[in-house]
Amino acid sequence: MSVDATGLAAGTYSATITITAPTADDSPKTVPVTLVVGDQPPLVVTPPTLAFAATASQPRPPSQAVAVSTSGATGASWTATADVPWLSLVPASGTGDGSIGVSADATGVAFGTRQGRIVVTSAGLAGSPQQVDVTFTVEPGPRLVASPTSLRFSATRLGALPSAQPISIANAGTGSLAWNVGGAPSWL
């Protein structure tokens, strides 16, 4: 889908497109489309959404970038803010086209999925402010579970060895779990 503002006066234009699929149970679908035509060049911020995922053992996922375009407006400055403490933006302001490094940090954040928002503002540019919606999912990561939690053997010094007892190792969290057994004395 694309638009062409050539020849349109400044203002807001709205339309609805209908998508049909004769064999689909949920057809048709309607999609509202809005075009804002301004006298000023537009502020363009992409992508419109970001998603981060972290675990307790790896609370800082790789940073992502948000591109800011001032559409060639000379000297147009912009500022970016985040509405949640777990997001950081570097840089948080600039002049002309630029890129914002966005980082999320799960330190001290409860497990679950939460939403945040980045707002980029540039006075004098059409479409300002622009918003980037951010989803942050924090999972507990791998969790080692050993069952049973203790073993007890009974033996006589010169008698038969007691029967072996099983111990089960499981991951009660998410992700993969690598494990090993160590610290066993010579009699075990």
Side-chain angles (χ1 to χ4, degrees):
M1 180 70 44
S2 62
V3 297
D4 182 358
T6 305
L8 296 177
T12 301
Y13 298 83
S14 299
T16 301
I17 61 171
T18 302
I19 302 167
T20 59
T23 59
D25 291 337
D26 58 348
S27 178
K29 294 287 185 186
T30 58
V31 178
V33 179
T34 303
L35 170 62
V36 177
V37 178
D39 292 326
Q40 301 293 331
L43 172 65
V44 179
V45 176
T46 54
T49 61
L50 293 175
F52 291 93
T55 63
S57 61
Q58 295 184 347
R60 292 179 188 91
S63 64
Q64 298 182 43
V66 170
V68 178
S69 171
T70 58
S71 300
T74 304
S77 62
W78 51 266
T79 59
T81 58
D83 69 346
V84 290
W86 42 263
L87 277 178
S88 61
L89 311 175
V90 176
S93 62
T95 300
D97 294 350
S99 181
I100 304 168
V102 181
S103 299
D105 187 347
T107 304
V109 176
F111 300 135
T113 299
R114 61 213 20 84
Q115 304 297 318
R117 179 176 302 127
I118 298 167
V119 176
V120 181
T121 305
S122 182
L125 292 186
S128 178
Q130 291 284 305
Q131 173 178 306
V132 177
D133 294 317
V134 182
T135 301
F136 191 24
T137 302
V138 181
E139 297 180 341
R143 290 186 45 226
L144 176 64
V145 176
S147 178
T149 57
S150 66
L151 298 174
R152 181 174 179 87
F153 293 91
S154 294
T156 57
R157 254 176 36 128
L158 300 174
L161 296 176
S163 297
Q165 297 179 34
I167 187 165
S168 297
I169 307 297
N171 180 0
T174 60
S176 61
L177 176 70
W179 58 273
N180 61 46
V181 176
S186 61
W187 54 266
L188 188 55

